[in-house]
mmCIF file of all heavy atoms in Angstrom:
data_model
loop_
_atom_site.group_PDB
_atom_site.id
_atom_site.type_symbol
_atom_site.label_atom_id
_atom_site.label_comp_id
_atom_site.label_asym_id
_atom_site.label_seq_id
_atom_site.Cartn_x
_atom_site.Cartn_y
_atom_site.Cartn_z
ATOM 1 N N ASN A 290 -99.231 -65.019 7.804
ATOM 2 C CA ASN A 290 -100.217 -64.708 8.665
ATOM 3 C C ASN A 290 -101.340 -64.063 7.943
ATOM 4 O O ASN A 290 -101.099 -62.852 7.465
ATOM 5 C CB ASN A 290 -99.546 -63.644 9.742
ATOM 6 C CG ASN A 290 -100.610 -63.340 10.810
ATOM 7 O OD1 ASN A 290 -101.738 -63.343 10.661
ATOM 8 N ND2 ASN A 290 -100.062 -63.076 12.081
ATOM 9 N N LEU A 292 -104.407 -62.817 7.933
ATOM 10 C CA LEU A 292 -105.196 -61.607 8.136
ATOM 11 C C LEU A 292 -104.241 -60.342 8.005
ATOM 12 O O LEU A 292 -104.578 -59.437 7.201
ATOM 13 C CB LEU A 292 -105.732 -61.627 9.647
ATOM 14 C CG LEU A 292 -106.480 -60.382 10.116
ATOM 15 C CD1 LEU A 292 -107.789 -60.342 9.298
ATOM 16 C CD2 LEU A 292 -106.628 -60.396 11.589
ATOM 17 N N ILE A 293 -103.072 -60.409 8.551
ATOM 18 C CA ILE A 293 -102.166 -59.277 8.419
ATOM 19 C C ILE A 293 -101.698 -59.165 6.993
ATOM 20 O O ILE A 293 -101.676 -57.961 6.503
ATOM 21 C CB ILE A 293 -100.976 -59.420 9.408
ATOM 22 C CG1 ILE A 293 -101.390 -59.685 10.778
ATOM 23 C CG2 ILE A 293 -100.114 -58.193 9.279
ATOM 24 C CD1 ILE A 293 -101.792 -58.439 11.622
ATOM 25 N N ASN A 340 -106.296 -26.996 11.414
ATOM 26 C CA ASN A 340 -105.341 -25.846 11.573
ATOM 27 C C ASN A 340 -103.986 -26.558 11.924
ATOM 28 O O ASN A 340 -103.093 -25.664 12.140
ATOM 29 C CB ASN A 340 -105.738 -24.900 12.620
ATOM 30 C CG ASN A 340 -106.110 -25.581 13.834
ATOM 31 O OD1 ASN A 340 -105.751 -26.713 14.119
ATOM 32 N ND2 ASN A 340 -106.565 -24.775 14.908
ATOM 33 N N ILE A 341 -103.734 -27.838 11.946
ATOM 34 C CA ILE A 341 -102.436 -28.453 12.029
ATOM 35 C C ILE A 341 -102.248 -29.310 10.904
ATOM 36 O O ILE A 341 -101.774 -30.319 10.933
ATOM 37 C CB ILE A 341 -102.314 -29.161 13.322
ATOM 38 C CG1 ILE A 341 -103.600 -29.847 13.615
ATOM 39 C CG2 ILE A 341 -101.949 -28.236 14.537
ATOM 40 C CD1 ILE A 341 -103.649 -31.290 13.391
ATOM 41 N N LEU A 344 -98.781 -31.255 10.124
ATOM 42 C CA LEU A 344 -98.332 -32.296 11.075
ATOM 43 C C LEU A 344 -99.174 -33.608 10.774
ATOM 44 O O LEU A 344 -98.652 -34.657 10.793
ATOM 45 C CB LEU A 344 -98.603 -31.911 12.504
ATOM 46 C CG LEU A 344 -97.518 -31.028 13.102
ATOM 47 C CD1 LEU A 344 -97.737 -30.771 14.523
ATOM 48 C CD2 LEU A 344 -96.261 -31.797 13.023
ATOM 49 N N PHE A 345 -100.534 -33.292 10.485
ATOM 50 C CA PHE A 345 -101.508 -34.432 10.192
ATOM 51 C C PHE A 345 -100.970 -35.219 8.976
ATOM 52 O O PHE A 345 -101.005 -36.360 9.104
ATOM 53 C CB PHE A 345 -102.860 -33.875 10.050
ATOM 54 C CG PHE A 345 -103.829 -35.009 9.818
ATOM 55 C CD1 PHE A 345 -104.337 -35.869 10.824
ATOM 56 C CD2 PHE A 345 -104.378 -35.283 8.471
ATOM 57 C CE1 PHE A 345 -105.292 -36.745 10.507
ATOM 58 C CE2 PHE A 345 -105.221 -36.312 8.216
ATOM 59 C CZ PHE A 345 -105.739 -36.957 9.349
ATOM 60 N N GLY A 348 -97.833 -37.070 9.784
ATOM 61 C CA GLY A 348 -98.115 -38.245 10.620
ATOM 62 C C GLY A 348 -98.748 -39.423 9.952
ATOM 63 O O GLY A 348 -98.487 -40.546 10.083
ATOM 64 N N MET A 349 -99.817 -39.098 9.072
ATOM 65 C CA MET A 349 -100.437 -40.174 8.374
ATOM 66 C C MET A 349 -99.593 -40.686 7.309
ATOM 67 O O MET A 349 -99.702 -41.986 7.160
ATOM 68 C CB MET A 349 -101.660 -39.366 7.619
ATOM 69 C CG MET A 349 -102.959 -40.119 7.730
ATOM 70 S SD MET A 349 -103.385 -40.459 9.446
ATOM 71 C CE MET A 349 -104.048 -42.105 9.321
ATOM 72 N N TYR A 355 -96.490 -48.638 7.848
ATOM 73 C CA TYR A 355 -96.911 -49.803 8.465
ATOM 74 C C TYR A 355 -97.286 -50.822 7.414
ATOM 75 O O TYR A 355 -97.193 -52.074 7.696
ATOM 76 C CB TYR A 355 -98.072 -49.729 9.414
ATOM 77 C CG TYR A 355 -97.578 -49.177 10.769
ATOM 78 C CD1 TYR A 355 -97.777 -47.958 11.292
ATOM 79 C CD2 TYR A 355 -96.866 -50.154 11.511
ATOM 80 C CE1 TYR A 355 -97.404 -47.680 12.555
ATOM 81 C CE2 TYR A 355 -96.380 -49.748 12.830
ATOM 82 C CZ TYR A 355 -96.635 -48.519 13.314
ATOM 83 O OH TYR A 355 -96.163 -48.191 14.545
ATOM 84 N N LEU A 358 -94.130 -52.643 6.234
ATOM 85 C CA LEU A 358 -93.571 -53.350 7.400
ATOM 86 C C LEU A 358 -94.368 -54.582 7.644
ATOM 87 O O LEU A 358 -93.806 -55.804 7.808
ATOM 88 C CB LEU A 358 -93.624 -52.370 8.601
ATOM 89 C CG LEU A 358 -93.122 -52.963 9.855
ATOM 90 C CD1 LEU A 358 -91.478 -52.846 9.855
ATOM 91 C CD2 LEU A 358 -93.564 -52.297 11.065
ATOM 92 N N LEU A 359 -95.766 -54.458 7.839
ATOM 93 C CA LEU A 359 -96.575 -55.634 8.129
ATOM 94 C C LEU A 359 -96.530 -56.645 6.963
ATOM 95 O O LEU A 359 -96.601 -57.822 7.241
ATOM 96 C CB LEU A 359 -97.984 -55.171 8.459
ATOM 97 C CG LEU A 359 -98.158 -54.354 9.728
ATOM 98 C CD1 LEU A 359 -99.565 -53.860 9.796
ATOM 99 C CD2 LEU A 359 -97.754 -55.279 10.876
ATOM 100 N N MET A 362 -93.334 -58.657 7.221
ATOM 101 C CA MET A 362 -93.282 -59.528 8.427
ATOM 102 C C MET A 362 -94.282 -60.636 8.326
ATOM 103 O O MET A 362 -94.036 -61.699 8.841
ATOM 104 C CB MET A 362 -93.523 -58.663 9.654
ATOM 105 C CG MET A 362 -92.323 -57.833 9.993
ATOM 106 S SD MET A 362 -92.611 -57.005 11.657
ATOM 107 C CE MET A 362 -92.411 -58.367 12.755
ATOM 108 N N SER A 363 -95.458 -60.553 7.684
ATOM 109 C CA SER A 363 -96.464 -61.564 7.720
ATOM 110 C C SER A 363 -96.280 -62.575 6.702
ATOM 111 O O SER A 363 -96.919 -63.652 6.702
ATOM 112 C CB SER A 363 -97.851 -60.824 7.482
ATOM 113 O OG SER A 363 -97.882 -60.263 6.223
ATOM 114 N N ALA A 374 -87.481 -55.135 7.603
ATOM 115 C CA ALA A 374 -86.347 -54.590 8.440
ATOM 116 C C ALA A 374 -85.881 -53.294 7.801
ATOM 117 O O ALA A 374 -85.720 -52.222 8.386
ATOM 118 C CB ALA A 374 -85.278 -55.577 8.591
ATOM 119 N N PHE A 380 -87.607 -45.722 7.965
ATOM 120 C CA PHE A 380 -88.589 -44.898 8.739
ATOM 121 C C PHE A 380 -87.769 -44.099 9.781
ATOM 122 O O PHE A 380 -87.947 -42.922 9.932
ATOM 123 C CB PHE A 380 -89.815 -45.748 9.224
ATOM 124 C CG PHE A 380 -90.654 -44.925 10.098
ATOM 125 C CD1 PHE A 380 -91.561 -44.088 9.595
ATOM 126 C CD2 PHE A 380 -90.582 -44.948 11.519
ATOM 127 C CE1 PHE A 380 -92.443 -43.323 10.338
ATOM 128 C CE2 PHE A 380 -91.336 -44.278 12.344
ATOM 129 C CZ PHE A 380 -92.265 -43.425 11.721
ATOM 130 N N ASN B 917 -99.606 -64.201 19.263
ATOM 131 C CA ASN B 917 -98.907 -64.003 18.176
ATOM 132 C C ASN B 917 -98.306 -62.616 18.243
ATOM 133 O O ASN B 917 -99.060 -61.589 18.396
ATOM 134 C CB ASN B 917 -99.750 -64.101 16.882
ATOM 135 C CG ASN B 917 -99.040 -64.043 15.661
ATOM 136 O OD1 ASN B 917 -98.239 -63.250 15.466
ATOM 137 N ND2 ASN B 917 -99.232 -64.999 14.750
ATOM 138 N N LEU B 919 -97.149 -60.599 15.986
ATOM 139 C CA LEU B 919 -97.579 -59.783 14.869
ATOM 140 C C LEU B 919 -98.944 -59.253 15.230
ATOM 141 O O LEU B 919 -99.195 -57.967 15.121
ATOM 142 C CB LEU B 919 -97.666 -60.606 13.525
ATOM 143 C CG LEU B 919 -97.469 -59.729 12.306
ATOM 144 C CD1 LEU B 919 -96.265 -58.848 12.469
ATOM 145 C CD2 LEU B 919 -97.307 -60.632 11.173
ATOM 146 N N TYR B 920 -99.834 -60.068 15.759
ATOM 147 C CA TYR B 920 -101.286 -59.592 16.102
ATOM 148 C C TYR B 920 -101.115 -58.543 17.118
ATOM 149 O O TYR B 920 -101.771 -57.497 17.141
ATOM 150 C CB TYR B 920 -102.186 -60.705 16.515
ATOM 151 C CG TYR B 920 -102.778 -61.453 15.304
ATOM 152 C CD1 TYR B 920 -102.863 -62.895 15.446
ATOM 153 C CD2 TYR B 920 -103.084 -60.930 14.100
ATOM 154 C CE1 TYR B 920 -103.354 -63.630 14.388
ATOM 155 C CE2 TYR B 920 -103.714 -61.603 13.204
ATOM 156 C CZ TYR B 920 -103.811 -62.965 13.214
ATOM 157 O OH TYR B 920 -104.198 -63.694 12.209
ATOM 158 N N THR B 923 -99.499 -55.268 16.015
ATOM 159 C CA THR B 923 -100.398 -54.493 15.120
ATOM 160 C C THR B 923 -101.604 -53.857 15.785
ATOM 161 O O THR B 923 -101.952 -52.697 15.522
ATOM 162 C CB THR B 923 -100.876 -55.484 13.909
ATOM 163 O OG1 THR B 923 -99.781 -56.112 13.329
ATOM 164 C CG2 THR B 923 -101.554 -54.699 12.970
ATOM 165 N N ASP B 942 -106.804 -30.905 18.282
ATOM 166 C CA ASP B 942 -106.142 -31.480 17.076
ATOM 167 C C ASP B 942 -104.584 -31.724 17.294
ATOM 168 O O ASP B 942 -104.005 -32.742 16.848
ATOM 169 C CB ASP B 942 -106.290 -30.446 15.951
ATOM 170 C CG ASP B 942 -107.702 -30.205 15.671
ATOM 171 O OD1 ASP B 942 -108.567 -30.969 16.232
ATOM 172 O OD2 ASP B 942 -108.076 -29.438 14.707
ATOM 173 N N PHE B 943 -103.974 -30.637 17.929
ATOM 174 C CA PHE B 943 -102.425 -30.724 18.019
ATOM 175 C C PHE B 943 -102.045 -32.093 18.786
ATOM 176 O O PHE B 943 -101.199 -32.796 18.305
ATOM 177 C CB PHE B 943 -101.953 -29.476 18.763
ATOM 178 C CG PHE B 943 -100.432 -29.458 18.791
ATOM 179 C CD1 PHE B 943 -99.686 -29.307 17.647
ATOM 180 C CD2 PHE B 943 -99.831 -29.623 19.985
ATOM 181 C CE1 PHE B 943 -98.218 -29.250 17.787
ATOM 182 C CE2 PHE B 943 -98.469 -29.502 20.057
ATOM 183 C CZ PHE B 943 -97.729 -29.404 18.993
ATOM 184 N N VAL B 946 -102.552 -35.239 16.737
ATOM 185 C CA VAL B 946 -101.526 -35.454 15.813
ATOM 186 C C VAL B 946 -100.213 -35.816 16.451
ATOM 187 O O VAL B 946 -99.526 -36.752 15.944
ATOM 188 C CB VAL B 946 -101.313 -34.239 14.817
ATOM 189 C CG1 VAL B 946 -100.052 -34.427 13.982
ATOM 190 C CG2 VAL B 946 -102.559 -34.006 14.048
ATOM 191 N N LEU B 949 -100.364 -39.344 17.284
ATOM 192 C CA LEU B 949 -100.319 -40.168 16.042
ATOM 193 C C LEU B 949 -98.739 -40.243 15.731
ATOM 194 O O LEU B 949 -98.222 -41.464 15.528
ATOM 195 C CB LEU B 949 -100.934 -39.415 14.938
ATOM 196 C CG LEU B 949 -101.255 -40.144 13.631
ATOM 197 C CD1 LEU B 949 -102.366 -41.211 14.019
ATOM 198 C CD2 LEU B 949 -101.699 -39.205 12.655
ATOM 199 N N ILE B 950 -97.996 -39.188 15.647
ATOM 200 C CA ILE B 950 -96.729 -39.186 15.159
ATOM 201 C C ILE B 950 -95.809 -39.892 16.182
ATOM 202 O O ILE B 950 -95.045 -40.749 15.758
ATOM 203 C CB ILE B 950 -96.197 -37.796 14.929
ATOM 204 C CG1 ILE B 950 -96.924 -37.219 13.795
ATOM 205 C CG2 ILE B 950 -94.677 -37.769 14.742
ATOM 206 C CD1 ILE B 950 -96.571 -35.644 13.473
ATOM 207 N N VAL B 953 -96.683 -43.886 16.299
ATOM 208 C CA VAL B 953 -96.293 -44.559 15.116
ATOM 209 C C VAL B 953 -94.870 -44.804 15.118
ATOM 210 O O VAL B 953 -94.359 -46.005 14.778
ATOM 211 C CB VAL B 953 -96.765 -43.678 13.825
ATOM 212 C CG1 VAL B 953 -96.011 -44.186 12.635
ATOM 213 C CG2 VAL B 953 -98.165 -43.872 13.710
ATOM 214 N N GLY B 954 -94.043 -43.775 15.381
ATOM 215 C CA GLY B 954 -92.578 -43.999 15.464
ATOM 216 C C GLY B 954 -92.202 -44.857 16.470
ATOM 217 O O GLY B 954 -91.279 -45.874 16.354
ATOM 218 N N ILE B 956 -93.758 -47.441 18.074
ATOM 219 C CA ILE B 956 -94.113 -48.767 17.917
ATOM 220 C C ILE B 956 -93.335 -49.472 16.694
ATOM 221 O O ILE B 956 -93.057 -50.514 16.678
ATOM 222 C CB ILE B 956 -95.693 -48.926 17.713
ATOM 223 C CG1 ILE B 956 -96.269 -48.525 19.029
ATOM 224 C CG2 ILE B 956 -96.098 -50.257 17.340
ATOM 225 C CD1 ILE B 956 -97.742 -48.408 18.930
ATOM 226 N N MET B 957 -92.996 -48.492 15.785
ATOM 227 C CA MET B 957 -92.124 -48.989 14.685
ATOM 228 C C MET B 957 -90.841 -49.528 15.123
ATOM 229 O O MET B 957 -90.400 -50.521 14.675
ATOM 230 C CB MET B 957 -91.837 -47.819 13.617
ATOM 231 C CG MET B 957 -91.270 -48.267 12.412
ATOM 232 S SD MET B 957 -92.330 -49.183 11.233
ATOM 233 C CE MET B 957 -93.064 -47.925 10.291
ATOM 234 N N TYR B 960 -91.484 -52.860 16.717
ATOM 235 C CA TYR B 960 -91.569 -54.005 15.675
ATOM 236 C C TYR B 960 -90.052 -54.395 15.375
ATOM 237 O O TYR B 960 -90.023 -55.618 15.181
ATOM 238 C CB TYR B 960 -92.193 -53.297 14.356
ATOM 239 C CG TYR B 960 -93.666 -53.428 14.320
ATOM 240 C CD1 TYR B 960 -94.570 -52.388 14.436
ATOM 241 C CD2 TYR B 960 -94.158 -54.811 13.966
ATOM 242 C CE1 TYR B 960 -95.837 -52.568 14.268
ATOM 243 C CE2 TYR B 960 -95.494 -54.870 13.823
ATOM 244 C CZ TYR B 960 -96.308 -53.879 13.975
ATOM 245 O OH TYR B 960 -97.696 -53.973 13.914
ATOM 246 N N MET B 964 -88.909 -58.174 15.416
ATOM 247 C CA MET B 964 -88.388 -58.817 14.269
ATOM 248 C C MET B 964 -87.188 -59.570 14.585
ATOM 249 O O MET B 964 -86.887 -60.605 14.071
ATOM 250 C CB MET B 964 -88.209 -57.796 13.155
ATOM 251 C CG MET B 964 -88.455 -58.262 11.795
ATOM 252 S SD MET B 964 -87.913 -56.788 10.732
ATOM 253 C CE MET B 964 -89.067 -55.641 11.103
ATOM 254 N N ALA B 969 -92.275 -63.973 13.472
ATOM 255 C CA ALA B 969 -93.516 -63.310 13.589
ATOM 256 C C ALA B 969 -94.771 -64.122 13.134
ATOM 257 O O ALA B 969 -95.833 -63.847 13.466
ATOM 258 C CB ALA B 969 -93.504 -62.084 12.746
ATOM 259 N N THR B 970 -94.510 -65.066 12.384
ATOM 260 C CA THR B 970 -95.728 -65.997 11.886
ATOM 261 C C THR B 970 -95.970 -66.984 12.660
ATOM 262 O O THR B 970 -96.914 -67.724 12.445
ATOM 263 C CB THR B 970 -95.209 -66.382 10.390
ATOM 264 O OG1 THR B 970 -94.005 -67.103 10.394
ATOM 265 C CG2 THR B 970 -95.288 -65.353 9.325
#
Side-chain angles (χ1 to χ4, degrees):
Chain A
N290 188 329
L292 178 70
I293 306 279
N340 58 3
I341 37 101
L344 278 186
F345 179 80
M349 226 50 225
Y355 275 113
L358 182 80
L359 292 176
M362 286 184 75
S363 66
F380 174 80
Chain B
N917 189 316
L919 208 49
Y920 283 141
T923 310
D942 298 355
F943 183 73
V946 172
L949 194 72
I950 291 175
V953 161
I956 296 173
M957 187 74 87
Y960 265 109
M964 213 184 295
T970 51

